[in-house]
Amino acid sequence: MKTRVTFAALLLTTTSLLAGPLPAPLSDADFAPIDLDEAKLGQLLFYDPILSGNKTVSCATCHHPAFGTADAVSLSFGDGGIGLGKERRADPKNMPEERIPRNSPALFNLGAKEFTVLFHDGRLEADPSEPSGIRTPMGVDMLVGFDNILSAQTMFPVLSRDEMAGSFRENEIGRLIRQGIITGEGGAWDVLSRRVADIPEYSEQFLAIYPEITSPDDIAFTDISNAIAAFVAFEWRSDTAPFDRVLEGSHKLEGAAQKGLGLFYGEAACASCHTGAFLTDHQFHVMAAPQIGPGKSATFEDHHRDDGRFRVTGLEQDRYAFRTPSLRNVALTAPYGHAGAHADLTRFIASHADPSTSLRTYDRDQAVLPPYEAEDFTVLDNPAQLKAIASAVSVKAVKLTRDDIAALVAFLDTLTDPISIEGRLGVPETVPSGLEVQNP
């Protein structure tokens, strides 16, 4: 009897650089099922500014398909900004109080069952011990009714002054959040829900899709979040890249891409953190990505530092640690790092190979920052803070030549999935609120 050998298995026997087997290919079993009508409703809500305090910002403002489901800049503006992507700038009539503290992450494959930790610091996690099944900074105030962790993620940007809520001086949502009135009747989420429910086209769709909703008054923010999550999961599922054909055994890489695959799973040790078919271990590591911008701090703090996972766990070993991002479509999701300090993938890989040294020699021209009067490089100008971040790195430096880095970039290009980049439903021309749908 003949033995059948797949291309993926053949790669392991013909490439000495590979340190272990390639991941198993993805299948429908790796993703939660999606209701298409729910996804179509979520599409409208995702692009509708109705969910922002001043009705000027939508989810798509910072997560637009034209920019790989991110926003093409290091640190952008939510409320108080005009335009999209690299063209976004501060609104002189409504100046933002600061830049958004962290880089906007891409949205690919967030509907996969494996994704149980979200945000750069992992402050949102699936947790069966919690009544809602989800652990968040909201604690016991976390609402029950979110279908999954992706749905729960949707509720946080609308509560952020700098992202979607706006200032307490400007609108009711901002005022409620400032007073800490979030949940319950008359809370920020309830007021946003009533905005949506008062639009007939939305209420009709909710009534048709969700059996438990029998009148517009029943529409809750959890229902809005569930619809948006269904859309994100459907629209940006990414499992049809050239790399997926390699995993399935129907395609073999050649040239630089093949060399890059060997390095990625071998000497460069990329796969020690970027594991599995989604190329992430979902864990937290200190890689000394440069800290730029306002940092992540409490209202009474002004240190411009971002302590990463430490802000969630309080464990010293987690200080400056950030979640390993998935590398799906990574060639199109620059800038890179929790603060988006690197605009170029080649230079980011070079820095990633020797984090501590690269932090001290970081080229600030790599940052893509819309014009704004701010102290963006306070941490980089502080020798003590630089030393603390560099000293926290525990991974060993990897020596990579220019050819090695070029090969790794060629391999990473094979993770680009044209179907997920284009999207399945696309950008709607209009939304039920009648507000402007932003497009470049």
PDB file of all heavy atoms in Angstrom, residues 402-432:
ATOM      1  N   ARG A 402      20.528  40.693   7.072  1.00  0.00           N
ATOM      2  CA  ARG A 402      19.525  41.380   6.261  1.00  0.00           C
ATOM      3  C   ARG A 402      18.757  40.397   5.400  1.00  0.00           C
ATOM      4  O   ARG A 402      17.539  40.530   5.211  1.00  0.00           O
ATOM      5  CB  ARG A 402      20.210  42.430   5.381  1.00  0.00           C
ATOM      6  CG  ARG A 402      20.728  43.637   6.146  1.00  0.00           C
ATOM      7  CD  ARG A 402      21.296  44.665   5.183  1.00  0.00           C
ATOM      8  NE  ARG A 402      21.780  45.844   5.889  1.00  0.00           N
ATOM      9  CZ  ARG A 402      22.318  46.906   5.304  1.00  0.00           C
ATOM     10  NH1 ARG A 402      22.427  46.928   3.967  1.00  0.00           N
ATOM     11  NH2 ARG A 402      22.739  47.934   6.015  1.00  0.00           N
ATOM     12  N   ASP A 403      19.459  39.400   4.875  1.00  0.00           N
ATOM     13  CA  ASP A 403      18.790  38.389   4.054  1.00  0.00           C
ATOM     14  C   ASP A 403      17.810  37.572   4.888  1.00  0.00           C
ATOM     15  O   ASP A 403      16.734  37.187   4.406  1.00  0.00           O
ATOM     16  CB  ASP A 403      19.819  37.459   3.403  1.00  0.00           C
ATOM     17  CG  ASP A 403      20.561  38.127   2.254  1.00  0.00           C
ATOM     18  OD1 ASP A 403      20.102  39.185   1.790  1.00  0.00           O
ATOM     19  OD2 ASP A 403      21.607  37.582   1.829  1.00  0.00           O
ATOM     20  N   ASP A 404      18.187  37.294   6.135  1.00  0.00           N
ATOM     21  CA  ASP A 404      17.285  36.564   7.028  1.00  0.00           C
ATOM     22  C   ASP A 404      15.998  37.345   7.247  1.00  0.00           C
ATOM     23  O   ASP A 404      14.890  36.790   7.174  1.00  0.00           O
ATOM     24  CB  ASP A 404      17.953  36.312   8.385  1.00  0.00           C
ATOM     25  CG  ASP A 404      19.089  35.308   8.324  1.00  0.00           C
ATOM     26  OD1 ASP A 404      19.130  34.511   7.367  1.00  0.00           O
ATOM     27  OD2 ASP A 404      19.942  35.339   9.242  1.00  0.00           O
ATOM     28  N   ILE A 405      16.142  38.634   7.517  1.00  0.00           N
ATOM     29  CA  ILE A 405      14.967  39.468   7.778  1.00  0.00           C
ATOM     30  C   ILE A 405      14.099  39.570   6.533  1.00  0.00           C
ATOM     31  O   ILE A 405      12.865  39.495   6.610  1.00  0.00           O
ATOM     32  CB  ILE A 405      15.397  40.861   8.275  1.00  0.00           C
ATOM     33  CG1 ILE A 405      16.093  40.726   9.635  1.00  0.00           C
ATOM     34  CG2 ILE A 405      14.203  41.796   8.369  1.00  0.00           C
ATOM     35  CD1 ILE A 405      16.712  42.010  10.138  1.00  0.00           C
ATOM     36  N   ALA A 406      14.737  39.719   5.374  1.00  0.00           N
ATOM     37  CA  ALA A 406      13.979  39.780   4.122  1.00  0.00           C
ATOM     38  C   ALA A 406      13.212  38.476   3.901  1.00  0.00           C
ATOM     39  O   ALA A 406      12.072  38.487   3.415  1.00  0.00           O
ATOM     40  CB  ALA A 406      14.918  40.051   2.949  1.00  0.00           C
ATOM     41  N   ALA A 407      13.837  37.360   4.271  1.00  0.00           N
ATOM     42  CA  ALA A 407      13.168  36.064   4.118  1.00  0.00           C
ATOM     43  C   ALA A 407      11.980  35.949   5.072  1.00  0.00           C
ATOM     44  O   ALA A 407      10.918  35.433   4.695  1.00  0.00           O
ATOM     45  CB  ALA A 407      14.166  34.937   4.375  1.00  0.00           C
ATOM     46  N   LEU A 408      12.145  36.428   6.292  1.00  0.00           N
ATOM     47  CA  LEU A 408      11.033  36.399   7.242  1.00  0.00           C
ATOM     48  C   LEU A 408       9.871  37.253   6.754  1.00  0.00           C
ATOM     49  O   LEU A 408       8.706  36.867   6.867  1.00  0.00           O
ATOM     50  CB  LEU A 408      11.508  36.878   8.618  1.00  0.00           C
ATOM     51  CG  LEU A 408      12.346  35.871   9.407  1.00  0.00           C
ATOM     52  CD1 LEU A 408      13.013  36.549  10.601  1.00  0.00           C
ATOM     53  CD2 LEU A 408      11.488  34.699   9.879  1.00  0.00           C
ATOM     54  N   VAL A 409      10.184  38.422   6.185  1.00  0.00           N
ATOM     55  CA  VAL A 409       9.129  39.275   5.630  1.00  0.00           C
ATOM     56  C   VAL A 409       8.426  38.562   4.482  1.00  0.00           C
ATOM     57  O   VAL A 409       7.188  38.612   4.359  1.00  0.00           O
ATOM     58  CB  VAL A 409       9.713  40.626   5.164  1.00  0.00           C
ATOM     59  CG1 VAL A 409       8.660  41.421   4.376  1.00  0.00           C
ATOM     60  CG2 VAL A 409      10.198  41.438   6.355  1.00  0.00           C
ATOM     61  N   ALA A 410       9.185  37.868   3.644  1.00  0.00           N
ATOM     62  CA  ALA A 410       8.592  37.127   2.527  1.00  0.00           C
ATOM     63  C   ALA A 410       7.654  36.037   3.045  1.00  0.00           C
ATOM     64  O   ALA A 410       6.573  35.807   2.482  1.00  0.00           O
ATOM     65  CB  ALA A 410       9.693  36.517   1.663  1.00  0.00           C
ATOM     66  N   PHE A 411       8.057  35.371   4.119  1.00  0.00           N
ATOM     67  CA  PHE A 411       7.177  34.364   4.713  1.00  0.00           C
ATOM     68  C   PHE A 411       5.918  35.004   5.284  1.00  0.00           C
ATOM     69  O   PHE A 411       4.794  34.522   5.070  1.00  0.00           O
ATOM     70  CB  PHE A 411       7.905  33.577   5.803  1.00  0.00           C
ATOM     71  CG  PHE A 411       6.974  32.776   6.664  1.00  0.00           C
ATOM     72  CD1 PHE A 411       6.211  31.746   6.129  1.00  0.00           C
ATOM     73  CD2 PHE A 411       6.820  33.086   8.021  1.00  0.00           C
ATOM     74  CE1 PHE A 411       5.321  31.027   6.923  1.00  0.00           C
ATOM     75  CE2 PHE A 411       5.939  32.369   8.815  1.00  0.00           C
ATOM     76  CZ  PHE A 411       5.192  31.336   8.268  1.00  0.00           C
ATOM     77  N   LEU A 412       6.092  36.098   6.011  1.00  0.00           N
ATOM     78  CA  LEU A 412       4.941  36.767   6.610  1.00  0.00           C
ATOM     79  C   LEU A 412       3.963  37.272   5.554  1.00  0.00           C
ATOM     80  O   LEU A 412       2.758  37.362   5.807  1.00  0.00           O
ATOM     81  CB  LEU A 412       5.404  37.908   7.514  1.00  0.00           C
ATOM     82  CG  LEU A 412       6.186  37.481   8.763  1.00  0.00           C
ATOM     83  CD1 LEU A 412       6.687  38.701   9.523  1.00  0.00           C
ATOM     84  CD2 LEU A 412       5.338  36.597   9.671  1.00  0.00           C
ATOM     85  N   ASP A 413       4.464  37.571   4.373  1.00  0.00           N
ATOM     86  CA  ASP A 413       3.582  37.967   3.269  1.00  0.00           C
ATOM     87  C   ASP A 413       2.618  36.841   2.891  1.00  0.00           C
ATOM     88  O   ASP A 413       1.522  37.107   2.383  1.00  0.00           O
ATOM     89  CB  ASP A 413       4.399  38.366   2.040  1.00  0.00           C
ATOM     90  CG  ASP A 413       4.993  39.765   2.153  1.00  0.00           C
ATOM     91  OD1 ASP A 413       4.481  40.563   2.963  1.00  0.00           O
ATOM     92  OD2 ASP A 413       5.968  40.050   1.425  1.00  0.00           O
ATOM     93  N   THR A 414       3.020  35.601   3.146  1.00  0.00           N
ATOM     94  CA  THR A 414       2.148  34.468   2.805  1.00  0.00           C
ATOM     95  C   THR A 414       0.973  34.346   3.775  1.00  0.00           C
ATOM     96  O   THR A 414       0.086  33.520   3.561  1.00  0.00           O
ATOM     97  CB  THR A 414       2.924  33.135   2.778  1.00  0.00           C
ATOM     98  OG1 THR A 414       3.275  32.735   4.114  1.00  0.00           O
ATOM     99  CG2 THR A 414       4.185  33.251   1.939  1.00  0.00           C
ATOM    100  N   LEU A 415       0.966  35.150   4.823  1.00  0.00           N
ATOM    101  CA  LEU A 415      -0.153  35.169   5.766  1.00  0.00           C
ATOM    102  C   LEU A 415      -1.243  36.146   5.341  1.00  0.00           C
ATOM    103  O   LEU A 415      -2.274  36.258   6.002  1.00  0.00           O
ATOM    104  CB  LEU A 415       0.351  35.551   7.163  1.00  0.00           C
ATOM    105  CG  LEU A 415       1.445  34.671   7.763  1.00  0.00           C
ATOM    106  CD1 LEU A 415       1.909  35.231   9.096  1.00  0.00           C
ATOM    107  CD2 LEU A 415       0.972  33.243   7.921  1.00  0.00           C
ATOM    108  N   THR A 416      -1.004  36.874   4.246  1.00  0.00           N
ATOM    109  CA  THR A 416      -1.995  37.825   3.748  1.00  0.00           C
ATOM    110  C   THR A 416      -3.111  37.067   3.022  1.00  0.00           C
ATOM    111  O   THR A 416      -2.862  36.316   2.079  1.00  0.00           O
ATOM    112  CB  THR A 416      -1.346  38.843   2.800  1.00  0.00           C
ATOM    113  OG1 THR A 416      -0.331  39.562   3.507  1.00  0.00           O
ATOM    114  CG2 THR A 416      -2.376  39.829   2.280  1.00  0.00           C
ATOM    115  N   ASP A 417      -4.328  37.287   3.477  1.00  0.00           N
ATOM    116  CA  ASP A 417      -5.500  36.566   2.982  1.00  0.00           C
ATOM    117  C   ASP A 417      -6.406  37.538   2.225  1.00  0.00           C
ATOM    118  O   ASP A 417      -7.069  38.378   2.835  1.00  0.00           O
ATOM    119  CB  ASP A 417      -6.232  35.962   4.185  1.00  0.00           C
ATOM    120  CG  ASP A 417      -7.538  35.275   3.822  1.00  0.00           C
ATOM    121  OD1 ASP A 417      -7.873  35.223   2.620  1.00  0.00           O
ATOM    122  OD2 ASP A 417      -8.220  34.802   4.748  1.00  0.00           O
ATOM    123  N   PRO A 418      -6.455  37.465   0.902  1.00  0.00           N
ATOM    124  CA  PRO A 418      -7.228  38.450   0.120  1.00  0.00           C
ATOM    125  C   PRO A 418      -8.709  38.466   0.449  1.00  0.00           C
ATOM    126  O   PRO A 418      -9.350  39.522   0.378  1.00  0.00           O
ATOM    127  CB  PRO A 418      -6.973  38.017  -1.332  1.00  0.00           C
ATOM    128  CG  PRO A 418      -6.509  36.591  -1.255  1.00  0.00           C
ATOM    129  CD  PRO A 418      -5.778  36.474   0.039  1.00  0.00           C
ATOM    130  N   ILE A 419      -9.274  37.335   0.821  1.00  0.00           N
ATOM    131  CA  ILE A 419     -10.701  37.297   1.134  1.00  0.00           C
ATOM    132  C   ILE A 419     -10.999  38.093   2.398  1.00  0.00           C
ATOM    133  O   ILE A 419     -11.932  38.896   2.450  1.00  0.00           O
ATOM    134  CB  ILE A 419     -11.182  35.841   1.279  1.00  0.00           C
ATOM    135  CG1 ILE A 419     -11.121  35.134  -0.078  1.00  0.00           C
ATOM    136  CG2 ILE A 419     -12.606  35.799   1.851  1.00  0.00           C
ATOM    137  CD1 ILE A 419     -11.538  33.680  -0.045  1.00  0.00           C
ATOM    138  N   SER A 420     -10.181  37.893   3.431  1.00  0.00           N
ATOM    139  CA  SER A 420     -10.431  38.618   4.678  1.00  0.00           C
ATOM    140  C   SER A 420     -10.088  40.099   4.542  1.00  0.00           C
ATOM    141  O   SER A 420     -10.713  40.948   5.186  1.00  0.00           O
ATOM    142  CB  SER A 420      -9.630  38.007   5.829  1.00  0.00           C
ATOM    143  OG  SER A 420      -8.240  38.143   5.621  1.00  0.00           O
ATOM    144  N   ILE A 421      -9.108  40.415   3.731  1.00  0.00           N
ATOM    145  CA  ILE A 421      -8.744  41.819   3.532  1.00  0.00           C
ATOM    146  C   ILE A 421      -9.877  42.565   2.831  1.00  0.00           C
ATOM    147  O   ILE A 421     -10.242  43.683   3.194  1.00  0.00           O
ATOM    148  CB  ILE A 421      -7.439  41.940   2.717  1.00  0.00           C
ATOM    149  CG1 ILE A 421      -6.249  41.482   3.560  1.00  0.00           C
ATOM    150  CG2 ILE A 421      -7.230  43.356   2.226  1.00  0.00           C
ATOM    151  CD1 ILE A 421      -5.998  42.329   4.782  1.00  0.00           C
ATOM    152  N   GLU A 422     -10.448  41.944   1.819  1.00  0.00           N
ATOM    153  CA  GLU A 422     -11.549  42.577   1.094  1.00  0.00           C
ATOM    154  C   GLU A 422     -12.807  42.625   1.939  1.00  0.00           C
ATOM    155  O   GLU A 422     -13.607  43.559   1.846  1.00  0.00           O
ATOM    156  CB  GLU A 422     -11.818  41.818  -0.206  1.00  0.00           C
ATOM    157  CG  GLU A 422     -12.888  42.446  -1.071  1.00  0.00           C
ATOM    158  CD  GLU A 422     -13.084  41.714  -2.388  1.00  0.00           C
ATOM    159  OE1 GLU A 422     -12.196  40.925  -2.768  1.00  0.00           O
ATOM    160  OE2 GLU A 422     -14.125  41.933  -3.042  1.00  0.00           O
ATOM    161  N   GLY A 423     -12.991  41.625   2.786  1.00  0.00           N
ATOM    162  CA  GLY A 423     -14.205  41.545   3.592  1.00  0.00           C
ATOM    163  C   GLY A 423     -15.315  40.847   2.841  1.00  0.00           C
ATOM    164  O   GLY A 423     -15.299  40.746   1.617  1.00  0.00           O
ATOM    165  N   ARG A 424     -16.291  40.374   3.565  1.00  0.00           N
ATOM    166  CA  ARG A 424     -17.366  39.596   2.957  1.00  0.00           C
ATOM    167  C   ARG A 424     -18.631  40.419   2.729  1.00  0.00           C
ATOM    168  O   ARG A 424     -19.353  40.202   1.768  1.00  0.00           O
ATOM    169  CB  ARG A 424     -17.649  38.369   3.829  1.00  0.00           C
ATOM    170  CG  ARG A 424     -16.465  37.383   3.834  1.00  0.00           C
ATOM    171  CD  ARG A 424     -16.582  36.341   4.938  1.00  0.00           C
ATOM    172  NE  ARG A 424     -15.546  35.321   4.806  1.00  0.00           N
ATOM    173  CZ  ARG A 424     -14.294  35.460   5.236  1.00  0.00           C
ATOM    174  NH1 ARG A 424     -13.913  36.584   5.847  1.00  0.00           N
ATOM    175  NH2 ARG A 424     -13.403  34.487   5.069  1.00  0.00           N
ATOM    176  N   LEU A 425     -18.926  41.341   3.614  1.00  0.00           N
ATOM    177  CA  LEU A 425     -20.098  42.209   3.455  1.00  0.00           C
ATOM    178  C   LEU A 425     -19.715  43.607   2.992  1.00  0.00           C
ATOM    179  O   LEU A 425     -20.511  44.300   2.362  1.00  0.00           O
ATOM    180  CB  LEU A 425     -20.861  42.303   4.786  1.00  0.00           C
ATOM    181  CG  LEU A 425     -21.482  40.998   5.298  1.00  0.00           C
ATOM    182  CD1 LEU A 425     -22.153  41.221   6.652  1.00  0.00           C
ATOM    183  CD2 LEU A 425     -22.489  40.437   4.303  1.00  0.00           C
ATOM    184  N   GLY A 426     -18.507  44.022   3.305  1.00  0.00           N
ATOM    185  CA  GLY A 426     -18.026  45.319   2.848  1.00  0.00           C
ATOM    186  C   GLY A 426     -18.533  46.489   3.689  1.00  0.00           C
ATOM    187  O   GLY A 426     -19.130  46.316   4.751  1.00  0.00           O
ATOM    188  N   VAL A 427     -18.293  47.678   3.187  1.00  0.00           N
ATOM    189  CA  VAL A 427     -18.693  48.911   3.873  1.00  0.00           C
ATOM    190  C   VAL A 427     -20.045  49.357   3.333  1.00  0.00           C
ATOM    191  O   VAL A 427     -20.200  49.550   2.130  1.00  0.00           O
ATOM    192  CB  VAL A 427     -17.651  50.026   3.653  1.00  0.00           C
ATOM    193  CG1 VAL A 427     -18.062  51.295   4.399  1.00  0.00           C
ATOM    194  CG2 VAL A 427     -16.258  49.566   4.093  1.00  0.00           C
ATOM    195  N   PRO A 428     -21.039  49.532   4.189  1.00  0.00           N
ATOM    196  CA  PRO A 428     -22.354  49.957   3.700  1.00  0.00           C
ATOM    197  C   PRO A 428     -22.311  51.404   3.203  1.00  0.00           C
ATOM    198  O   PRO A 428     -21.544  52.218   3.705  1.00  0.00           O
ATOM    199  CB  PRO A 428     -23.251  49.829   4.934  1.00  0.00           C
ATOM    200  CG  PRO A 428     -22.318  50.007   6.086  1.00  0.00           C
ATOM    201  CD  PRO A 428     -21.019  49.378   5.657  1.00  0.00           C
ATOM    202  N   GLU A 429     -23.110  51.714   2.231  1.00  0.00           N
ATOM    203  CA  GLU A 429     -23.164  53.080   1.717  1.00  0.00           C
ATOM    204  C   GLU A 429     -23.856  54.009   2.707  1.00  0.00           C
ATOM    205  O   GLU A 429     -23.487  55.183   2.837  1.00  0.00           O
ATOM    206  CB  GLU A 429     -23.893  53.110   0.370  1.00  0.00           C
ATOM    207  CG  GLU A 429     -23.138  52.410  -0.756  1.00  0.00           C
ATOM    208  CD  GLU A 429     -23.826  52.560  -2.091  1.00  0.00           C
ATOM    209  OE1 GLU A 429     -24.842  53.298  -2.150  1.00  0.00           O
ATOM    210  OE2 GLU A 429     -23.354  51.961  -3.067  1.00  0.00           O
ATOM    211  N   THR A 430     -24.853  53.488   3.406  1.00  0.00           N
ATOM    212  CA  THR A 430     -25.586  54.281   4.391  1.00  0.00           C
ATOM    213  C   THR A 430     -25.865  53.420   5.614  1.00  0.00           C
ATOM    214  O   THR A 430     -25.774  52.186   5.567  1.00  0.00           O
ATOM    215  CB  THR A 430     -26.925  54.791   3.827  1.00  0.00           C
ATOM    216  OG1 THR A 430     -27.745  53.652   3.472  1.00  0.00           O
ATOM    217  CG2 THR A 430     -26.710  55.664   2.599  1.00  0.00           C
ATOM    218  N   VAL A 431     -26.238  54.071   6.723  1.00  0.00           N
ATOM    219  CA  VAL A 431     -26.642  53.361   7.941  1.00  0.00           C
ATOM    220  C   VAL A 431     -27.976  53.932   8.395  1.00  0.00           C
ATOM    221  O   VAL A 431     -28.339  55.068   8.054  1.00  0.00           O
ATOM    222  CB  VAL A 431     -25.581  53.503   9.050  1.00  0.00           C
ATOM    223  CG1 VAL A 431     -24.353  52.684   8.701  1.00  0.00           C
ATOM    224  CG2 VAL A 431     -25.200  54.955   9.284  1.00  0.00           C
ATOM    225  N   PRO A 432     -28.747  53.152   9.169  1.00  0.00           N
ATOM    226  CA  PRO A 432     -30.114  53.571   9.537  1.00  0.00           C
ATOM    227  C   PRO A 432     -30.215  54.901  10.267  1.00  0.00           C
ATOM    228  O   PRO A 432     -31.258  55.567  10.182  1.00  0.00           O
ATOM    229  CB  PRO A 432     -30.588  52.412  10.430  1.00  0.00           C
ATOM    230  CG  PRO A 432     -29.871  51.220   9.872  1.00  0.00           C
ATOM    231  CD  PRO A 432     -28.504  51.739   9.532  1.00  0.00           C
TER     232      PRO A 432
END
